[in-house]
Amino acid sequence: MFFETVYIDMVFLVNFMMDLLLLSLLTEILRKDGRWRGLCVGALAGAVWACVAVTAVMPGWMELFGSMTAAMGMTALAFRERSIKAVFFMSFSLLGLSFFLSGLVNLVYYHTGAGYYMQKGGVPSYLLFPVIGIGSVAVRRGAKLFWRYQGVQRQLCRVMLAYRGKHIGLTGFVDTGNRLYDPYQGRPVQIVWEESLKGFLPEDQKFLYVPYHSVGKADGLLKGFTADEIVIVHGEQVFRQQKPFIALAREPLNRQGRYQAILHPDLFAQGQISCRALICQGHGHDNE
């Protein structure tokens, strides 16, 4: 009979650290409020299950069921979640993240020759930990970029300007850092890329000038005009305001061209709110 020596303390310690890493990464991916105390409790539950799975003889279906149950217990304890639906979703996310990192380790171990040299004793096995670290950093960075993109998407809205019988549709970005007011009537200033209004403004258009400060430029002037109306579709609401002040920027407001207007947040507080009944047109303009 063959007996394999298992150091249960090392099994517990390694699984505790890995489960803690997985749960901390899950907080970034799902944007959950995970405190270290809860994460440690969840990792502790996962480490206990790992010790049971290693020492007990179980059929495959029982081990699979136990792993899923352990994942549910880990997420429920780590995030103090009571909703069954949320626990199921987080559990599958945790298992998927675990498969990703373990697959990354297996890829390096079996397909780069690292496993062969580790078995021969030429390379210590603990060098796989940097692989796990690199994978974790990649997951964390990817999650941050994803949520940053989602944040920008939530701040985008459709904009329609009306002026002298013409209408033009633009994509606007709600910028809480825009604190520019016109010095004449104290209205919040909406900044629009000048090129996007080409052909929309009349050739004899007269402009007012608004002083502004920006990074790299202490003082500057933006030319602007008073439009007849601005309509903003943001989510399920439509904001309308008469006589908005529009300033023109010579340079594009976004390198990727995702929006052509920067909207002042005060516009939503001052504007008239109605239901989403108006559908703004796409980029371009038309005449009434």
Side-chain angles (χ1 to χ4, degrees):
M1 182 177 292
F2 175 76
F3 294 94
E4 183 179 359
T5 303
V6 176
Y7 297 95
I8 198 68
D9 54 342
M10 291 304 299
V11 172
F12 178 86
L13 180 61
V14 170
N15 279 273
F16 175 79
M17 297 302 296
M18 287 302 301
D19 290 339
L20 187 61
L21 173 64
L22 291 172
L23 290 171
S24 64
L25 287 176
L26 200 63
T27 61
E28 291 284 350
I29 296 173
L30 302 182
R31 303 191 79 179
K32 300 292 292 185
D33 184 19
R35 298 182 179 181
W36 281 109
R37 180 181 298 179
L39 296 180
C40 288
V41 172
L44 180 64
V48 170
W49 162 248
C51 294
V52 172
V54 167
T55 55
V57 179
M58 294 180 291
W61 67 268
M62 184 177 295
E63 187 172 352
L64 179 62
F65 177 77
S67 297
M68 187 60 201
T69 305
M72 293 178 61
M74 289 170 60
T75 53
L77 291 171
F79 304 109
R80 299 181 180 179
E81 185 62 62
R82 296 182 179 178
S83 170
I84 299 299
K85 183 178 179 180
V87 169
F88 266 105
F89 175 74
M90 290 188 297
S91 300
F92 280 108
S93 301
L94 180 65
L95 291 175
L97 182 59
S98 176
F99 291 150
F100 170 77
L101 290 180
S102 61
L104 183 63
V105 171
N106 287 333
L107 178 66
V108 174
Y109 188 85
Y110 290 108
H111 298 281
T112 65
Y116 173 79
Y117 290 107
M118 287 179 184
Q119 291 177 2
K120 295 297 182 179
V123 177
S125 58
Y126 63 77
L127 288 181
L128 285 176
F129 284 100
V131 177
I132 298 174
I134 294 172
S136 302
V137 171
V139 170
R140 190 182 297 270
R141 180 62 178 170
K144 287 184 177 181
L145 290 176
F146 172 78
W147 288 116
R148 185 181 301 172
Y149 174 79
Q150 287 295 101
V152 170
Q153 289 297 109
R154 284 195 295 269
Q155 290 176 288
L156 294 180
C157 52
R158 286 181 288 173
V159 179
M160 188 194 72
L161 282 178
Y163 186 59
R164 294 190 180 182
K166 290 184 178 181
H167 297 82
I168 185 170
L170 305 167
T171 300
F173 176 76
V174 183
D175 186 6
T176 56
N178 179 11
R179 309 308 302 172
L180 192 61
Y181 298 87
D182 83 84
Y184 310 102
Q185 300 182 28
R187 294 168 295 180
V189 174
Q190 322 308 317
I191 304 174
V192 177
W193 182 30
E194 186 174 4
E195 187 67 20
S196 65
L197 299 184
K198 189 175 181 179
F200 174 71
L201 296 177
E203 295 182 358
D204 61 345
Q205 177 65 44
K206 296 181 180 180
F207 297 99
L208 299 173
Y209 289 86
V210 178
Y212 76 97
H213 305 277
S214 64
V215 178
K217 190 169 184 179
D219 297 290
L221 291 174
L222 289 175
K223 63 180 182 181
F225 67 99
T226 300
D228 294 332
E229 184 183 39
I230 186 171
V231 179
I232 302 171
V233 179
H234 193 214
E236 296 300 321
Q237 291 183 319
V238 176
F239 299 82
R240 311 170 68 101
Q241 189 180 56
Q242 305 294 321
K243 304 299 180 182
F245 191 87
I246 309 299
L248 303 180
R250 294 182 179 180
E251 301 295 330
L253 302 176
N254 179 256
R255 293 180 180 179
Q256 292 77 28
R258 282 189 286 180
Y259 54 88
Q260 302 80 42
I262 294 180
L263 305 176
H264 199 293
D266 286 357
L267 182 69
F268 296 90
Q270 299 177 9
Q272 181 182 359
I273 304 176
S274 59
C275 63
R276 186 172 183 173
L278 176 64
I279 302 300
C280 293
Q281 300 173 6
H283 297 98
H285 61 274
D286 65 341
N287 297 328
E288 284 190 344

